[in-house]
Amino acid sequence: MEKILIIDDSALSRKMLKGILIEGGYDVIEAAEGVSGIEKYFLERPAVVILDLLMEAMPGLEVLKKIKQLDQNACIIVATADIQEATKEEVMNEGATAFINKPFKKETVLDAVSRALKRRKS
Amino acid sequence: MILTDFQKDAITEIVNIAFGRAVASLSELTGSRILLTVPKLEICTIDQLPSVLMEILNSDVCTVHQIFTGEVSGDALLILDYKGATVLASLLTGEEIENMETSAKEVLIEVGNILLNACLGTFENMLHVHITFSVPHLHLNQLNHTLNTIKMGKEEIRYVILVVTTFTVKESNVGGYLLIVLGVVSLDKFIQCIKNLEMDR
């Protein structure tokens, strides 16, 4: 079972995402903020990370840069309420695998994860 | 009114999503990228609101006020500090605006309408409640006066979901505050909707 790491400071969003991912047949681990998210990434080596952008302490963009700096092959899907194209461009330029918006739609989330996993294997 | 940590988190996240939609609309209008800070949530009675707001707002304000009715009813307010409001109006009209003339007022009412509708529309979609909006009004008087118009003729205890977030329009600091005022019955309904959301997953 592929392991997915959710890094999001919102318990509601983690709960919703976790429900979708478990239904999709994935093993889910969670982190409620950026630093512990980075730690969990390197301890647990998940296949995919789903990362929120707007977080206290360490913003999602910094988490993305840090993980990519340490592991260029990391598959990171940015999941945010910010629907601006400029934000999408910025995170994609920093190496994000995909960009999805909140509120989460089951099909969108599972499709993004599935594509990320295929890309990782190819 | 005591909310659980999960309920507070859920309200904050729903507002975060709502504001994400709202600022995207504002970004389209201004042609500039908008940056958001993490929203901070406070719940207080309307009588406590002036002192709570005094801690974050110490200048003249410009308020767009919209009443909403339906399964959950109340008042939604977008509060901008006066200087921020003139900067925003200047950005949107492409003209240097120092005072709130008629055209600037119309622009801000429309901005308020877009932002408040985006927020309330997200509540409607995520919580599955039907809401009808009134025409928004702009208040340029002191905040206390606006708050009094909300209190007038309403005897039930009114709670305020105060969400403080700052949106920054590229290279200009325009601060905005969103307030949602609900009667105790509506707040109960709102919390029930969040509980339903919690049980859905």
Side-chain angles (χ1 to χ4, degrees), chain B:
Chain B
M1 174 63 60
I2 298 169
L3 298 181
T4 64
D5 286 345
F6 185 87
Q7 287 163 353
K8 284 183 191 168
D9 171 273
I11 295 172
T12 307
E13 186 65 352
I14 290 167
V15 172
N16 179 33
I17 292 168
F19 242 69
R21 306 263 144 185
V23 298
S25 306
L26 190 59
S27 171
E28 277 178 29
L29 284 172
T30 58
S32 301
R33 186 170 176 202
I34 316 278
L35 300 175
L36 273 176
T37 59
V38 179
K40 299 226 185 310
L41 178 86
E42 296 219 31
I43 302 230
C44 60
T45 66
I46 198 158
D47 292 328
Q48 294 167 327
L49 184 61
S51 59
V52 173
L53 281 176
M54 287 281 273
E55 289 174 20
I56 50 175
L57 274 172
N58 51 13
S59 58
D60 290 338
V61 294
C62 171
T63 310
V64 182
H65 176 198
Q66 193 158 25
I67 294 166
F68 57 95
T69 53
E71 288 171 71
V72 173
S73 60
D75 301 76
L77 294 101
L78 173 74
I79 302 176
L80 302 162
D81 66 78
Y82 191 90
K83 192 169 181 301
T86 57
V87 171
L88 190 56
S90 301
L91 276 168
L92 292 167
T93 57
E95 295 163 15
E96 193 65 35
I97 291 172
E98 286 177 8
N99 296 306
M100 283 296 158
E101 299 139 8
T102 308
S103 60
K105 286 178 186 170
E106 283 171 3
V107 166
L108 287 171
I109 287 175
E110 189 53 18
V111 168
N113 188 31
I114 291 167
L115 289 172
L116 294 173
N117 273 277
C119 286
L120 295 172
T122 304
F123 289 164
E124 194 174 45
N125 291 341
M126 288 190 73
L127 300 177
H128 309 295
V129 287
H130 182 63
I131 296 168
T132 306
F133 311 102
S134 72
V135 176
H137 293 282
L138 184 76
H139 302 280
L140 292 173
N141 38 30
Q142 289 190 322
L143 188 59
N144 268 340
H145 185 272
T146 305
L147 297 179
N148 284 335
T149 65
I150 296 169
K151 283 168 73 177
M152 263 170 37
K154 289 166 181 166
E155 286 172 10
E156 70 172 334
I157 301 167
R158 313 269 294 164
Y159 284 94
V160 181
I161 299 176
L162 173 63
V163 183
V164 181
T165 189
T166 306
F167 52 88
T168 311
V169 182
K170 191 184 163 195
E171 290 169 7
S172 66
N173 196 10
V174 179
Y177 305 93
L178 176 74
L179 265 68
I180 296 163
V181 183
L182 299 171
V184 71
V185 176
S186 284
L187 186 57
D188 271 350
K189 170 81 183 167
F190 192 73
I191 291 167
Q192 190 53 50
C193 292
I194 287 168
K195 281 182 184 160
N196 294 341
L197 195 70
E198 197 177 343
M199 283 185 289
D200 279 352
R201 290 284 164 204

Side-chain angles (χ1 to χ4, degrees), chain A residues 10-11 15 17 19 24 28 42 51 58 61 78-79 96 107 110 112-113:
Chain A
S10 163
K15 188 171 183 162
L17 262 181
V28 179
F42 288 100
L51 172 68
M58 191 172 197
L61 190 62
V78 169
E107 299 73 28
L110 294 180
V113 171

Side-chain angles (χ1 to χ4, degrees), chain A residues 4-10 13-14 17 21 29 31-38 41 48-56 58-68 74-82 87 91 94-102 104 109 113, chain B residues 13:
Chain A
I4 314 290
L5 168 63
I6 301 169
I7 308 175
D8 195 317
D9 60 353
S10 163
S13 284
R14 290 199 307 275
L17 262 181
L21 293 167
I29 47 174
E33 45 82 31
V35 175
S36 64
I38 294 169
Y41 180 81
V48 175
V49 177
I50 301 185
L51 172 68
D52 181 29
L53 278 187
L54 208 58
M55 293 190 289
E56 296 268 27
M58 191 172 197
L61 190 62
E62 295 306 310
V63 178
L64 170 67
K65 286 179 185 171
K66 194 72 191 171
I67 294 178
K68 291 299 280 189
C75 280
I76 303 176
I77 297 169
V78 169
T80 175
D82 187 343
T87 306
V91 299
E94 291 296 341
T97 310
F99 182 85
I100 57 173
N101 288 125
K102 296 177 181 181
F104 300 117
V109 171
V113 171
Chain B
E13 186 65 352

